[in-house]
Amino acid sequence: MSSHLRTGSASYQAAAQASEDAPRPTRAQARAAARAQARRKRLRRTSFLGVGSVAAVAVMAVAGLMHPHHTDSADAQAAASAAPVPARTGQGDASRSVDRAAPASELRQLPGLGQGFLGQIPADAQQVLLVTGKGRNQNTGTAVLYTRAADGSWLPGPTWPARNALDGWTTDHHAGDLHSPIGVFSLTDAGGLDANPGTKLPYLHSTAFTSPGTGFEGESLADAFDYVVAINYNHVPGTSPLSPERPMGASRGGGIWVHVDHGGPTHGCVALAKPDMAILLRDLDPGKHPVIVMGDAASLAQ
């Protein structure tokens, strides 16, 4: 029992004893005492309700049912409900509908390709290096590595500047014609003068990739073959980029690679800047059966 209750009990006993010793009150005094007692009860009930109201307000505030800036204004409520939900910024949470939305960069189909070239891409190819030349007789263009998503859409990587053969593109490539072959070819083998930058493709690290001399514009070719990926045009898949085998015969040319840009046109290859080549090598995955689709824009649209 608390000290408060013990004190109260003693007071009650003392009051009871005093009541026994006191003379009995008159009827008028009894009625006045009853009215006073009723008033005291009403006051106690009012006080209790006041305390209870304060307690209820406190509970509502803790439960989040009240806000210091809460207003009953219908206009304010309407404005609040009309406020847009912010997109994810990396720090806050956003609606799940934003998370479910497909990235704007995903494409249902590879851009710039006509049905003829789309039909040549193997069904199991989940990576496509799309090299698009500016013109049939031009030697510059762009390259983009696309990766197929689970829903069949294509997710593009960055766009890289690219070079091709001095005299442009051809559908009938022959040795020494200074054109790059147009078509769809698999990518299975890599190598280079530099060590493997982290590719999953079979990689031959060899000094045999040294290229002496200069290019068509007098540029050094010393770094051209630091990294190479064999394009399987007249090349046996699963062999080194240096393999001399030519399934279609030597007259149809060979040694067509994606290699490091040396600052000028190529003899028939595709060239990318060295940092871009390193990224390409790291991204290519033999498990995704990568291919290259290459040619000038007008030809590829057919």
Side-chain angles (χ1 to χ4, degrees):
M1 182 181 293
S2 68
S3 60
H4 171 74
L5 290 178
R6 287 196 298 269
T7 303
S9 178
S11 299
Y12 173 78
Q13 292 174 356
Q17 182 65 42
S19 177
E20 290 177 359
D21 297 339
R24 187 177 298 276
T26 65
R27 182 175 298 180
Q29 290 174 331
R31 284 198 298 269
R35 286 195 295 270
Q37 184 177 8
R39 283 197 297 273
R40 286 195 296 272
K41 288 182 179 179
R42 286 197 297 272
L43 287 174
R44 283 198 297 270
R45 283 199 298 269
T46 303
S47 175
F48 174 78
L49 290 174
V51 172
S53 299
V54 171
V57 170
V59 170
M60 292 173 66
V62 171
L65 300 177
M66 297 185 67
H67 191 278
H69 302 297
H70 174 74
T71 175
D72 290 331
S73 168
D75 292 339
Q77 292 176 354
S81 64
V85 177
R88 185 178 299 277
T89 63
Q91 295 180 350
D93 192 15
S95 69
R96 293 187 180 272
S97 62
V98 174
D99 290 341
R100 286 197 301 267
S105 57
E106 287 191 2
L107 305 172
R108 297 306 305 176
Q109 194 52 270
L110 293 169
L113 297 184
Q115 291 303 314
F117 281 91
L118 289 172
Q120 295 180 49
I121 298 174
D124 62 353
Q126 298 174 50
Q127 287 183 319
V128 171
L129 180 62
L130 179 57
V131 179
T132 307
K134 289 183 177 179
R136 185 67 178 250
N137 301 316
Q138 297 186 46
N139 51 53
T140 59
T142 58
V144 178
L145 179 64
Y146 290 87
T147 301
R148 196 196 300 261
D151 64 357
S153 60
W154 292 95
L155 182 64
T159 299
W160 299 317
R163 296 185 193 269
N164 53 280
L166 178 67
D167 293 336
W169 300 90
T170 182
T171 55
D172 186 25
H173 177 72
H174 285 76
D177 68 6
L178 299 181
H179 287 78
S180 296
I182 297 173
V184 179
F185 311 104
S186 59
L187 302 173
T188 56
D189 307 284
L193 188 62
D194 286 1
N196 186 345
T199 187
K200 296 178 182 178
L201 297 176
Y203 189 90
L204 175 63
H205 179 207
S206 173
T207 57
F209 287 101
T210 301
S211 179
T214 58
F216 294 109
E217 298 181 1
E219 74 278 10
S220 171
L221 302 179
D223 300 330
F225 303 148
D226 284 352
Y227 300 131
V228 310
V229 177
I231 295 172
N232 290 339
Y233 166 84
N234 207 14
H235 173 79
V236 179
T239 64
S240 161
L242 296 171
S243 172
E245 294 184 65
R246 300 290 181 259
M248 295 188 298
S251 66
R252 298 297 303 275
I256 306 297
W257 299 341
V258 185
H259 63 68
V260 174
D261 184 5
H262 45 76
T266 71
H267 281 78
C269 299
V270 171
L272 305 177
K274 188 171 182 176
D276 300 337
M277 277 297 299
I279 295 172
L280 174 65
L281 280 164
R282 286 192 291 268
D283 287 348
L284 287 176
D285 183 349
K288 295 182 179 179
H289 310 286
V291 300
I292 184 171
V293 179
M294 51 192 283
D296 61 284
S299 296
L300 294 178
Q302 296 176 5

